[in-house]
C-alpha cells in the first residue's frame, strides 16, 4: 500500500477552528472523489501533553493521509480533475505544505482508536517498533500546487493508536524524547 501524506500549516490569517471546518467540510469531500483512493484520514493536530517540543516548532496543523493500493492508482488520482479542484481549494486555507510519498507497513484496521500519535523520524534513525511504519520514498513540494513548500525532512513516519487522549498522554509520558517530532492527533476517517 502507498500513502500520500501532507504536513500542512494553515494560513496565518485563518484561525484553527475555521481551518479545521474548511478542511473537514469543504476540502474533505473533494479528496473523497479521487479515483483509485482506498482510504483517506484527516489527522488534526491537537493541543496535548503528548506533543513534544520538536513537533511544536514545526507548526504543523494537520496531517492528511491518502492510501492507494499502488503507484498507478496514486498517479491517476494526482493527475485527475478532482486533484486539480483540490489544488484550487487548498489556496483558501493552507499556508504551506510538505508532501511525502511512503510505503505503508503494518496494521491499518479501522477502529484502532480515535486518537493517534504520529512520529516523524529523521533520516538515518531506525525508529522503535510501532503498529504502522511509513517508509518515505520521496518528499518535497506538492506537485501542481501553488501552495508554498514547508521545508520538513522526514526519514520515516510511525503511528500508534489510542482509545482516549488520556491513554495517549500517559504513553507519551513514558517515552524517551529521542530524535522524533511527536504529534498528538485526532483522526477523522472519511473513506
Amino acid at each position: 500500500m502507498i500513502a500520500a501524506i501532507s504536513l500542512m500549516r494553515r494560513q496565518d490569517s485563518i484561525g484553527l477552528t475555521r481551518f479545521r471546518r474548511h478542511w473537514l467540510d469543504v476540502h474533505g469531500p473533494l479528496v473523497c472523489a479521487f479515483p483509485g483512493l482506498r482510504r483517506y484520514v484527516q489527522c488534526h493536530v491537537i493541543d496535548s501533553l503528548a506533543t513534544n517540543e520538536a513537533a511544536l516548532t514545526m507548526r504543523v496543523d494537520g496531517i492528511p493521509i491518502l492510501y492507494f493500493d499502488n503507484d498507478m492508482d496514486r498517479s491517476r488520482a494526482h493527475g485527475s480533475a478532482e486533484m486539480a479542484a483540490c489544488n484550487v481549494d487548498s489556496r483558501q486555507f493552507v499556508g504551506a505544505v510538505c508532501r511525502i510519498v511512503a510505503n505503508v507497513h503494518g496494521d491499518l484496521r479501522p477502529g484502532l482508536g480515535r486518537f493517534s500519535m504520529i512520529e516523524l523520524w529523521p533520516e538515518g534513525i531506525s525508529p522503535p517498533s510501532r503498529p504502522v511504519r511509513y517508509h518515505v520514498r520521496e518528499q518535497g513540494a506538492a506537485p501542481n500546487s501553488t501552495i508554498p513548500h514547508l521545508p520538513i525532512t522526514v526519514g520515516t513516519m510511525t503511528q500508534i493508536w489510542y482509545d482516549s487522549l488520556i491513554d495517549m498522554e500517559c504513553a507519551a509520558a513514558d517515552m524517551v524524547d529521542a530524535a522524533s517530532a511527536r504529534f498528538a492527533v485526532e483522526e477523522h476517517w472519511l473513506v
Side-chain angles (χ1 to χ4, degrees), residues 68-126:
F68 300 93
D69 286 333
N70 52 54
D71 282 316
M72 188 175 1
D73 287 346
R74 183 181 64 84
S75 294
R76 188 166 43 117
H78 284 268
S80 69
E82 292 84 358
M83 172 62 88
C86 279
N87 286 338
V88 170
D89 182 63
S90 293
R91 291 181 235 159
Q92 305 301 311
F93 70 110
V94 180
V97 66
C98 175
R99 248 340 126 66
I100 297 169
V101 176
N103 292 329
V104 182
H105 300 279
D107 186 1
L108 283 171
R109 289 172 295 147
L112 290 172
R114 180 174 162 206
F115 299 96
S116 72
M117 189 182 312
I118 293 177
E119 294 173 284
L120 306 179
W121 298 86
E123 293 180 65
I125 302 258
S126 182

Side-chain angles (χ1 to χ4, degrees), residues 43-62:
C43 300
H44 294 227
V45 176
I46 56 174
D47 186 18
S48 167
L49 298 173
T51 301
N52 67 7
E53 188 61 34
L56 290 172
T57 61
M58 291 179 179
R59 293 183 39 233
V60 170
D61 296 301

